[in-house]
């Protein structure tokens, strides 16, 4: 007979493939931490991927996080550090013992070590560099000399290359005899005598070919060489645009110095998409659920202050029509509808435009065609909703002329929203200002001001 212990860690836990961190798993892990049962903690954590463990550390509070790390101790994997959000990574590193940190860092590829070091202070950088082997430390220090957010920071130094005159047999023999191959790689990079990359050969083609076949006869048609100083956003765009799996990185002399793989490029894309969403919402590009109250307030307050200023501008426009509103009370009831419709329409166009700019789909050659399309959409939507609001107004207030006024204002506002939604982010982009960061405020202010001005102005002109 099984004794009832009430211990949640003793309950059978099944890993949910879609959510490995289901509530009972987290509860069991925290119980093991509470009672100091290291053996049970390791058993519960063992099935989890490094990314899931990183998520767990981000979700629990700081006190439980420190206790878990200290109890988990030498089982802590370096991959967890690379998966952690920057907001708590430094805190986790401080909690690790020097021995555990050294072993964790040694397991990482050079690009992951560089990514780890970028967000740490100098003292912590030095502590991590000291535990690396000499060759690894030199490679990482060299990568850190490249500009931030460049291909040099993104690449890994572990490269599999072969002379362009080799055949398949020589390449396979080389791979089998090598002791320091990367854990994961997709291509053999062919180089000339000056170490300049001339082509990629996939491992699939290599293994499917006879030994005497020359490697240069197996090179891929799509081959992109990336300069070490190229911005990582452009690197991610190239991977996405040309469906690259990996790409060699070259220095100023066009010599091979590293390779960028698809997982790193896609991570950059994900980060940029996340930043764009946060910027459009005005909550700060580094906002995270694990941030403190003070940090969150600091990120959001500036944009709330900007929004307050723009709201005051809209209020100033309304104040110019106090007498009109006093005489026709229905205007006060209806004018939020015009502004709200304009704001939502502007946000729709703005979101599509910012995304098109980020993916380089919006260019000089198709700009005016896109502008024409959005204005056409604005006209159609304006006409449809103008008719709807005019009918609604007549049923509500029984004034045909007021219906004409609000319908006209609706058309004007939605046309303005379409035009501003595309022109504002494009103008900011031309001025080298991130359109995701500042466009929303300008677009909503424009639609509010035009909406109120057109509605109240037309009412003053035709109803008084």
């Amino acid at each position: 007979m099984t004794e009832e212990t009430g211990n949640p860690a003793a309950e059978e836990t099944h890993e949910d493939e879609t959510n490995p961190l289901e509530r009972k798993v987290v509860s069991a892990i925290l119980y093991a931490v509470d009672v100091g049962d290291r053996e049970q903690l390791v058993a519960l954590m063992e099935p989890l991927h490094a990314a899931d463990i990183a998520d767990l550390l981000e979700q629990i509070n700081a006190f439980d996080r420190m206790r878990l790390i200290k109890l988990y101790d030498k089982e802590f994997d370096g991959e967890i550090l690379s998966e952690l959000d920057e907001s708590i990574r430094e805190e986790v590193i401080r909690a690790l013992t020097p021995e555990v940190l050294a072993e964790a860092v040694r397991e990482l590829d050079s690009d992951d070590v560089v990514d780890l070091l970028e967000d740490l202070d100098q003292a912590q950088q030095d502590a991590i560099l000291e535990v690396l082997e000499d060759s690894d430390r030199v490679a990482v220090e060299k990568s850190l000399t490249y500009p931030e957010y460049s291909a040099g920071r993104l690449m890994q130094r572990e490269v599999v290359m072969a002379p362009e005159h080799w055949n398949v047999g020589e390449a396979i023999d080389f791979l089998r005899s090598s002791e320091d191959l990367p854990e994961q790689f997709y291509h053999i990079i062919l180089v000339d005598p000056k170490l300049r990359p001339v082509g990629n050969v996939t491992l699939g083609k290599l293994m499917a070919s006879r030994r005497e076949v020359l490697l240069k006869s197996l090179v891929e048609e799509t081959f992109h060489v990336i300069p070490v100083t190229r911005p990582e956003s452009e690197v991610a765009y190239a991977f996405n645009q040309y469906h690259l799996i990996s790409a060699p990185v070259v220095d100023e002399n066009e010599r091979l110095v590293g390779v960028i793989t698809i997982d790193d490029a896609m991570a950059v894309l994900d980060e940029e998409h996340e930043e764009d969403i946060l910027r459009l919402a005005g909550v700060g590009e580094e906002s995270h659920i694990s941030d403190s109250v003070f940090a969150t307030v600091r990120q959001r307050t500036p944009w709330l202050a900007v929004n307050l200023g723009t709201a005051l501008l809209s209020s100033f426009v309304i104040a110019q029509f106090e007498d009109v509103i006093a005489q026709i009370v229905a205007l006060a009831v209806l004018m939020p509808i015009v502004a709200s419709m304009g704001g939502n329409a502007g946000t729709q166009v703005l979101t599509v435009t910012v995304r098109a700019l980020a993916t380089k789909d919006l260019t000089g050659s198709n700009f005016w065609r896109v502008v024409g399309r959005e204005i056409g959409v604005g006209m159609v939507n304006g006409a449809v909703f103008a008719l709807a609001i005019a009918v609604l107004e007549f049923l509500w207030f029984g004034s045909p002329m007021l219906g004409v006024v609000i319908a006209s204002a609706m058309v004007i506002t939605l046309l303005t929203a379409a035009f501003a939604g595309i022109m504002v982010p494009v103008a900011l982009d031309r001025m080298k200002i991130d359109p995701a960061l500042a466009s929303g405020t300008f677009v909503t202010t424009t639609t509010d001001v035009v909406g109120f001005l057109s509605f109240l102005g037309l009412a003053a002109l035709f109803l008084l």
Side-chain angles (χ1 to χ4, degrees):
M1 180 179 293
T2 304
E3 182 181 355
E4 290 290 338
T5 63
N7 180 351
E11 299 177 4
E12 182 181 5
T13 58
H14 300 281
E15 183 177 352
D16 185 340
E17 292 183 2
T18 59
N19 181 24
L21 294 179
E22 56 183 3
R23 182 179 299 179
K24 65 180 181 180
V25 174
V26 176
S27 297
I29 289 173
L30 291 180
Y31 183 85
V33 172
D34 286 338
V35 299
D37 189 341
R38 184 176 185 281
E39 183 178 343
Q40 182 64 25
L41 175 64
V42 173
L44 289 167
M45 300 276 274
E46 194 276 333
L48 299 179
H49 188 275
D52 297 322
I53 297 177
D55 285 344
L56 171 66
L57 293 174
E58 292 167 11
Q59 292 171 14
I60 62 180
N61 62 53
F63 177 68
D64 288 336
R65 186 159 52 237
M66 293 303 100
R67 292 193 302 154
L68 188 154
I69 291 171
K70 292 185 181 301
L71 187 62
Y72 200 42
D73 195 35
K74 60 184 179 181
E75 301 296 329
F76 199 95
D77 192 289
E79 290 295 329
I80 301 172
L81 290 176
S82 63
E83 296 286 351
L84 277 173
D85 188 85
E86 296 171 5
S87 59
I88 68 166
R89 186 184 289 169
E90 191 170 344
E91 173 191 335
V92 171
I93 288 175
R94 283 198 301 267
L96 296 173
T97 64
E99 296 76 18
V100 172
L101 178 60
E103 188 60 33
V105 171
R106 289 193 190 103
E107 297 173 358
L108 296 175
D109 291 331
S110 58
D111 59 325
D112 292 325
V113 177
V114 171
D115 180 59
L116 185 66
L117 293 177
E118 284 179 325
D119 305 306
L120 302 179
D121 57 37
Q122 189 61 48
Q124 288 184 310
Q125 286 187 1
D126 293 340
I128 291 177
L129 288 171
E130 285 179 5
V131 305
L132 296 176
E133 296 181 4
D134 291 343
S135 58
D136 293 333
R137 182 171 63 252
V138 171
V140 170
E141 288 176 336
K142 177 62 177 176
S143 294
L144 289 172
T145 63
Y146 296 121
E148 193 173 7
Y149 307 117
S150 67
R153 293 286 187 98
L154 191 62
M155 70 180 183
Q156 66 181 54
R157 290 278 181 164
E158 297 82 10
V159 179
V160 180
M161 57 181 173
E164 59 182 332
H165 62 268
W166 271 12
N167 60 29
V168 169
E170 290 172 307
I172 291 176
D173 292 341
F174 165 73
L175 294 176
R176 287 174 175 169
S177 62
S178 296
E179 298 180 356
D180 56 352
L181 291 176
E183 287 189 9
Q184 293 183 347
F185 63 99
Y186 312 100
H187 292 116
I188 294 180
I189 303 173
L190 303 188
V191 295
D192 66 13
K194 294 184 178 181
L195 285 184
R196 295 177 300 195
V198 296
N200 276 338
V201 176
T202 64
L203 295 182
K205 283 188 176 181
L206 181 75
M207 300 307 297
S209 302
R210 295 182 177 275
R211 291 182 60 88
E212 63 272 13
V213 174
L214 292 176
L215 292 179
K216 60 184 177 183
S217 67
L218 302 176
V219 295
E220 287 191 298
E221 292 183 7
T222 303
F223 179 64
H224 281 263
V225 176
I226 298 174
V228 73
T229 55
R230 177 170 293 176
E232 62 179 23
S233 59
E234 294 183 12
V235 173
Y237 170 77
F239 269 76
N240 189 50
Q241 180 74 5
Y242 304 112
H243 310 294
L244 304 179
I245 299 176
S246 69
V249 181
V250 297
D251 62 15
E252 61 277 6
N253 297 315
E254 298 185 353
R255 291 178 300 187
L256 181 65
V257 292
V259 64
I260 295 175
T261 53
I262 189 170
D263 56 326
D264 293 317
M266 292 305 100
V268 172
L269 274 183
D270 288 342
E271 289 173 5
E272 291 193 336
H273 294 166
E274 180 181 340
E275 288 175 4
D276 285 347
I277 292 172
L278 294 174
R279 287 170 174 172
L280 282 170
V283 296
E285 63 185 67
E286 296 181 355
S287 182
H288 194 270
I289 59 173
S290 62
D291 291 342
S292 66
V293 172
F294 177 75
T296 304
V297 169
R298 186 177 57 188
Q299 291 165 352
R300 299 183 186 181
T301 299
W303 289 107
L304 289 176
V306 171
N307 287 336
L308 175 61
T310 58
L312 289 173
L313 179 60
S314 299
S315 298
F316 176 77
V317 172
I318 296 172
Q320 308 310 304
F321 297 93
E322 287 183 14
D323 295 339
V324 179
I325 297 172
Q327 296 180 54
I328 309 174
V329 179
L331 296 178
V333 177
L334 296 173
M335 66 182 184
I337 299 175
V338 178
S340 177
M341 289 294 292
N344 286 332
T347 300
Q348 289 177 338
V349 181
L350 168 65
T351 303
V352 172
T353 303
V354 169
R355 178 71 184 121
L357 288 170
T359 58
K360 304 186 189 299
D361 290 332
L362 183 60
T363 63
S365 60
N366 66 1
F367 173 72
W368 289 110
R369 178 176 60 80
V370 175
V371 171
R373 186 198 68 172
E374 292 300 337
I375 291 177
V377 171
M379 290 179 65
V380 173
N381 281 338
V384 170
F385 289 105
L387 179 61
I389 194 62
V391 172
L392 177 63
E393 182 282 328
F394 181 75
L395 294 175
W396 194 349
F397 296 103
S399 172
M401 198 60 203
L402 179 56
V404 172
V405 167
I406 193 171
S408 301
M410 185 71 74
V411 172
I412 294 172
T413 303
L414 291 187
L415 280 174
T416 301
F419 190 73
I422 192 169
M423 295 301 292
V424 169
V426 169
L428 292 174
D429 187 60
R430 295 281 174 85
M431 292 186 288
K432 305 300 182 184
I433 300 173
D434 188 348
L437 184 63
S439 296
T441 301
F442 289 117
V443 171
T444 53
T445 300
T446 301
T447 55
D448 285 351
V449 169
V450 170
F452 292 135
L453 189 60
S454 60
F455 181 48
L456 297 176
L458 289 171
L461 188 62
F462 292 106
L463 300 179
L464 294 182

